[in-house]
Every structure is written in structure tokens, then in C-alpha cells.
Amino acid sequence: MNDSVLENKLSPRAQKAWLISEVIGIVIGFIVLAVLFWLDFHFAWPVWIGWILIALTAYTVLDAVWSLIKPKYLYESWRYQVDEEYIQLSYGILKKEWVTVPIAKVQSISTRQGPILRIYQLREIKVETMGSSHAIPALDEQVAIQLKDTLAEYAKLKEVDE
Amino acid sequence: MMRYHPLTILYRIYQFVKNNLIIALLLFVIKRDSDFWLFEYGRYAFLVIVVWRLIYIVWSWFYETYEWEERTFYLKEGIFTKNTSSIPFSKIQNVTRQTTIFHKVFRLTSITFETAMDGVDDAITFEVVSKKHADFLLKLVEVQTTEPDETNLKENQEGTELDGSESDVENPDPKIKQDNESKVVHFTPTKRDLWKASFLSFSYLAFIPLLGGLFDEIQSFLPEEKELDGLLDQFLASKWLILLLVVVGVAIAVAIGVTRTMIRYGKYEISSNNTHIFINRGVLNESYFSIEKQKVQGLEITQSFLKRIVGLAEVKLVSSVNPNSEQSAVDVNSLYPFLPMNQAHELIQQLLPGYHVESGMKRLPRKSLWIKLLRPSWFWLLATGALFYFKPRVFGLESAWWIISVILFVWIYINRILDYVHTQYLVTNDQLQWRRGGLTSRLFITKRQKVIEMSISQSFVQKKFHVASLSTVNRSSPIHVEGIEDVPVEFATSFHNWYLERHDEVQYHHIP
């Protein structure tokens, strides 16, 4: 499936932005765990709860390690391409996805920017069709705004049978 | 400005009573003496709701009106919050007409125009309407939808020219289209079809637990035997009784099955004209369904294990018809659930000349079988885990848990192997066609222009095996997702390229 490499990549700053949000997630996860351990100790919960907590901790640690390496590979895997007829996306580390949506079927286009994306001056483009929604995460602000306008222009074209 | 038929009020009350009968029975008959707070206060609450509903049903009728102008319905409703909606005729996807027993009593009918707009209230329903007026509305909508269609038709003709094999006879000329009288009947079930259907529908299998219950009842009338005799002895002692019960039970079951089938599928007629497909059905509850051919998004031919043995199949239309519309005991999308296979293909060709059921589909390579078998079954693992933990006793068997686990395992793997055997795919000109499924197999056919989205996915393991999974999305409510798993990467790539050539059929217009 390598013969269909799409044109564009995300902003390289996406890696940092994702990493930060992952780290925040990890910290929150560990705080929750710590609180649970404290509650377990303080109220002397049944033994099996202790075991579940240990299992959860092990899982959280593994997940945290994965979260820290994920942004790099996810960024490497992300490609998108937009032309007059189609929006094409491809992404995924262990499981690859290639999505093709005819632009004529797009019903709404929007950009979004959360606090972390704002720090890095990035934007996400969200494209909604009749039954699904797709996002191109973390584009340079300029690129995102331009792409949104391009998409909006292309999307004016509708198919006759609707 | 038109009001709905006054009997709509009665019909709504009838519906309301029907839907709440069980609650009423529970509150006032079964749990009559209960002073549990839920029932105690529930009774008052229920009465209040009933009174309010009845007032509301009558009251709201006066505020509901409809009118039409320039090929658009304008609906108004609401006592407190006024609600106005307009629905252009061109958005109407299909028409359903149902005549339930209620309607029969008053010699009336109901009619629903369904649209594919994104609103919540996207159907126009005339719950009670005189037959004459229903005919009028139908004509009104039908005649006028034909005009803006001409562009659609051109598109269709262009699309079909690619096939070359499209017969000119089937290609409708826009000029004669108004001629709705030229309906051709394609299918009515014969006596033989109906018998087959009733034996297949197997609805009477539901009788077996009842039979068991009956046996328990009768046991108490049997001469008391010594308690120590055990279950087996008792069983043998009443052998003649069991036999009799089985015979009687099966007879009743068959009778019920046959009557049910006759009532559901007895009067059945599939017909079409140049632009629309019509389905008339039902003996007691009559229903009429029509859909514009252009609005059919795809086709599905389903064969359950039993149907495959007898060579029958069910043909379904993929469209934006709401599949769980009220009261309809029959799936509205289904053409007919018991069509002989060759007749099914013929019917498709006649109804939708754009579609062909092509032969010569490709099968999956052997490696796809290995990957299907290698893939862990999470369902089985979870189920076995749960069984191991709870170790339920079935029929007094202590080892039941691992027997069930083994049966489940075999079942899952038989399904997977069958899925491998059944999976076939083919892409021709502007049409895609694929089949998959284990015990129940499904053949799905759609046109490139009707696929509104596609995706390919490839897991880590699939990559090693050089295969991928495809999925397509068609318009429906909700959207219709189809997929085929573990096809060779070459096919996935060529499918993707094929999809990128969509502009061959699709015609665009610009929204200012």
C-alpha cells in the first residue's frame, strides 16, 4: 500500500503539542491512582480492590510509556491530500487507515483550537459528512485557515442526485 | 390550509391506549393490591398523564395544519411552541401507505412520505386519511417529482452507457414518464412459494417452550408416582403423553406458522414503472410502498443457512427508509424474504436495470483463511473467562462450562471458515459487488456514485500477510456501512483507484 503516499504532512509542531497533552493525561491518571491508593489504605478496602489497583497501575505505566513514543510515530504516519474531488487521509501506527471522502458529500467544515494547540499556533480541521466526521489534527494556523477556505470552495459543488 | 382527518384524534387515542395497556394492567390489575410507593403513586401519575394526553391529543389537532404550494409541503403544529416546517417534494425518498385493521373499520388509510433530510422530523405522516385523498396526495407528489428528475435521468443514462449492455427498452424516455399507468407486475408469490415460506419462517419454533410449559401443567394431573422413582421413570411413564403432545404441538405450530405467513406474505405484489418501484402487501394490515429507482442506494441479497439449503433468498433495498417505522410487522426495505435465487436475480434486473448480478466473482486467497483463523476471538476469550469464573450448571451438568466453551469455539470457527468460503468480490465498470458472511451470507451490490465514502485499513498482522480490509459507506438512515476483510492488497489498491474515478458517472451542480 505504499504506492499511494499522499501529499501533505501535518505541522511538525504537532508532535510537541500531542506530547504535552499526553503528559497531562498521564499526570492526571497517576494522580487519580494515587488518590485511589490512599483511599484504599485509609479505609482498608477489601484485598481484591488492592489487586485491581496494582493491575491498573501496571497498565497505566505501560500506557504512559506508549503515550510518550506515540506522538512521533503518529506524526510520521499522518498524511492528507485535498483536491477538487476528494479529501484523503491516511494515518495509524499499528493499524493503518486510508479514508477517502468525496468533497461533494461534505456537509460542514470547521476549525478548532484548544489551549494546547493555541500555544503551538496549530489548528484542527473538522470535516463532517452525512454520517461520519473526520479531523485533520494539528495544522499550522495559516495552512489550516487556507485549507478550510479551499475546502469550503470545493464543497459548494454538490452532486445532482441529492 | 388543510386539517388532518378528524378521525386522526380517535386513531391517536387508539394508539395511546394500545401502547399503555400493559402499564395500565400492571398498575391496576396485576399489582392492584401492592402498596409499594412506585405503584401507589404511579397510579395517580398514570391517571394524570392519561387525562393530560387525552386533552392534548384533541387540543393539538386544532393546531396542526398542512398545505402545499409550488411542490412543497408546509406543515404547522404546536399549541405552545409553534413549529413550521417545509418539505419540498423533491426531497421525498419513498412513500408508504398502510391500512391497518383500524383503518379498515373506517374505510380509511394512512400515508407517509419519507424524506432524506437531516432534520429530526423528516417524514410527513398522514395517520388517518380517506383513500381518495391519499390517492390525490400520492398523485400530487408523484407527478411533480418527475419533472426535476430529468437531469437525474440523463445522469443515469450516461452512467449506464458505460455498461453498453443496457437495453434501450429499459432506458426511460423522460417524455413518456408521466404515464404512471404503465406499471408492470414483476412478482406475486405462488402457492408453492408461500408453503415454502411458511415452513421456513420457523416462527412456530417459538412453540417449543410453550410445549414444555404445557407438559409441566399436565404432569400435575398425572397419577402420583413414588417420589423416589426419579425423573427418568416419570418421563418414560408418560411417553405416550409426550408423543401426543408433540404431535398436537407441531400441528398447532405449523397451522400458526402457515397462517402467519399467509397473512404477512399472502397478498404480495412487486411492480414498477419507469421511475418507481411499488410493493403492495398484507392481508389484514395492508401496506403500499413506493420508492424512486434513483433513490435506491444499493442492494442486498441475504441467505440464511436454511434458505441456502432450499435455494431461497431475501432481497433488500438499501435506501433511507426508516426501517423501524411503526406497526409494520414486515421490514419495509425487503422486497420479498423468500425469493428463489434465480428469480431474485431476474427481479433485480427488471426493477433496477442499472444493476447486474454478475458472475465470475473472485475468491479470497488461501492466506486470508490463515489470518482469519489466527485472529484471536475476543468474544470467545471473554465468554470462556466468564464461564470459567461462574461455572454455571446446565441440565445439572457440572462440566457444562467447558462444553459450552468448546461448542462456542467450534461455532465461531465454522463461521470463520464459512466466511472465507463465502467471501467473494468483483468490481465492474461502475458497480461493486461483494459477498461475505458465515452461516448467513450476504451479497451487496452498489454503484460507485452511491458510495459516499470509503476507507481501507490494515492492521499490523494484515500487513505481514499482505492483505487489507475495505469498507464503504452508503446513504441510509443511519448510514449503511459495508465491508470486506482480508482482501489482497492489490485489490484494495485497485479498488481505491477505481473509487477515485467516481467523476465518470457523477454529475455536479454548483450551490451559489
Side-chain angles (χ1 to χ4, degrees), chain A residues 1 3 85-86 88 94-98 100 102 107 130 132 134 156-162, chain B residues 118 152 450 452-458 460 475 496 499-500 502-503 506-507 509-511:
Chain A
M1 305 287 316
D3 58 342
E85 280 182 275
Y86 300 97
Q88 296 187 59
L94 290 177
K95 187 177 185 179
K96 272 225 157 253
E97 294 266 352
W98 286 261
T100 310
Q107 289 183 329
M130 199 166 298
S132 60
H134 302 284
K156 278 185 184 167
L157 222 54
K158 286 287 168 227
E159 288 174 20
V160 165
D161 74 333
E162 276 177 19
Chain B
D118 297 317
N152 272 352
K450 303 287 188 197
I452 62 167
E453 192 179 317
M454 69 153 286
S455 66
I456 305 172
S457 75
Q458 191 181 42
F460 186 67
R475 248 180 114 150
H496 185 228
Y499 189 66
L500 292 178
R502 242 175 131 255
H503 51 76
V506 177
Q507 268 199 344
H509 66 95
H510 212 269
I511 291 180

Side-chain angles (χ1 to χ4, degrees), chain A residues 2 4-11 18 72-82 87-92 96-99 135-137 139:
Chain A
N2 296 325
S4 56
V5 175
L6 305 176
E7 278 170 7
N8 310 302
K9 299 190 74 170
L10 302 180
S11 161
W18 287 338
K72 181 173 182 286
Y73 291 102
L74 194 59
Y75 168 74
E76 296 291 336
S77 76
W78 247 102
R79 292 276 194 290
Y80 71 93
Q81 184 175 326
V82 172
I87 301 173
Q88 296 187 59
L89 313 172
S90 82
Y91 53 88
K96 272 225 157 253
E97 294 266 352
W98 286 261
V99 180
I136 307 177
L139 290 174

Side-chain angles (χ1 to χ4, degrees), chain B residues 28-48:
Chain B
F28 296 100
V29 182
I30 299 167
K31 296 280 179 187
R32 183 180 44 205
D33 303 320
S34 164
D35 47 10
F36 181 48
W37 64 272
L38 199 67
F39 294 116
E40 178 115 39
Y41 295 105
R43 280 178 215 128
Y44 295 110
F46 186 77
L47 282 180
V48 171

Side-chain angles (χ1 to χ4, degrees), chain B residues 200-435:
Chain B
L200 266 183
S201 60
F202 262 71
S203 39
Y204 49 82
L205 276 185
F207 237 78
I208 285 174
L210 216 98
L211 211 70
L214 209 65
F215 182 69
D216 275 351
E217 285 296 307
I218 290 185
Q219 280 253 304
S220 54
F221 295 107
L222 293 176
E224 284 254 350
E225 280 179 271
K226 276 178 206 147
E227 283 186 320
L228 285 172
D229 271 353
L231 223 110
L232 193 73
D233 277 1
Q234 248 183 40
F235 187 74
L236 288 175
S238 52
K239 211 171 172 184
W240 58 273
L241 193 73
I242 294 172
L243 198 76
L244 188 76
L245 272 180
V246 167
V247 170
V248 172
V250 167
I252 294 174
V254 168
I256 288 180
V258 170
T259 351
R260 265 168 67 111
T261 314
M262 294 294 171
I263 287 173
R264 278 189 186 180
Y265 305 113
K267 248 172 70 191
Y268 211 100
E269 186 188 284
I270 302 172
S271 55
S272 77
N273 63 14
N274 285 332
T275 50
H276 288 75
I277 297 172
F278 310 93
I279 303 171
N280 283 296
R281 65 185 138 205
V283 175
L284 287 181
N285 283 355
E286 283 171 33
S287 81
Y288 159 96
F289 170 75
S290 84
I291 181 168
E292 203 184 324
K293 290 182 182 182
Q294 278 297 320
K295 307 254 157 94
V296 174
Q297 305 293 324
L299 283 168
E300 215 179 271
I301 304 179
T302 318
Q303 258 190 322
S304 66
F305 184 65
L306 277 170
K307 282 184 190 166
R308 188 161 330 110
I309 292 175
V310 257
L312 294 181
E314 169 164 25
V315 178
K316 282 185 178 177
L317 303 175
V318 178
S319 72
S320 22
V321 186
N322 195 357
N324 40 11
S325 72
E326 279 180 73
Q327 317 132 348
S328 62
V330 196
D331 185 359
V332 264
N333 288 310
S334 169
L335 278 184
Y336 192 70
F338 309 101
L339 281 169
M341 206 52 183
N342 52 349
Q343 211 173 344
H345 289 188
E346 232 169 76
L347 192 65
I348 290 170
Q349 220 116 94
Q350 288 169 353
L351 290 178
L352 297 159
Y355 287 82
H356 306 265
V357 186
E358 305 272 359
S359 52
M361 292 167 75
K362 283 197 211 64
R363 293 190 45 180
L364 289 178
R366 185 57 60 86
K367 62 187 176 191
S368 302
L369 175 62
W370 300 131
I371 195 171
K372 276 184 201 298
L373 294 180
L374 272 174
R375 197 169 280 143
S377 166
W378 302 114
F379 174 71
W380 178 77
L381 286 175
L382 278 176
T384 303
L387 282 167
F388 178 74
Y389 187 77
F390 293 110
K391 291 212 173 71
R393 280 164 157 263
V394 182
F395 303 122
L397 273 175
E398 212 165 319
S399 50
W401 72 271
W402 66 262
I403 297 177
I404 296 175
S405 169
V406 167
I407 292 173
L408 201 62
F409 186 83
V410 171
W411 172 263
I412 287 169
Y413 274 82
I414 285 180
N415 254 304
R416 286 184 181 190
I417 294 170
L418 281 176
D419 184 35
Y420 164 73
V421 174
H422 286 153
T423 303
Q424 289 180 343
Y425 52 90
L426 185 71
V427 166
T428 47
N429 298 323
D430 64 331
Q431 177 179 298
L432 83 85
Q433 175 176 335
W434 56 46
R435 192 166 101 119

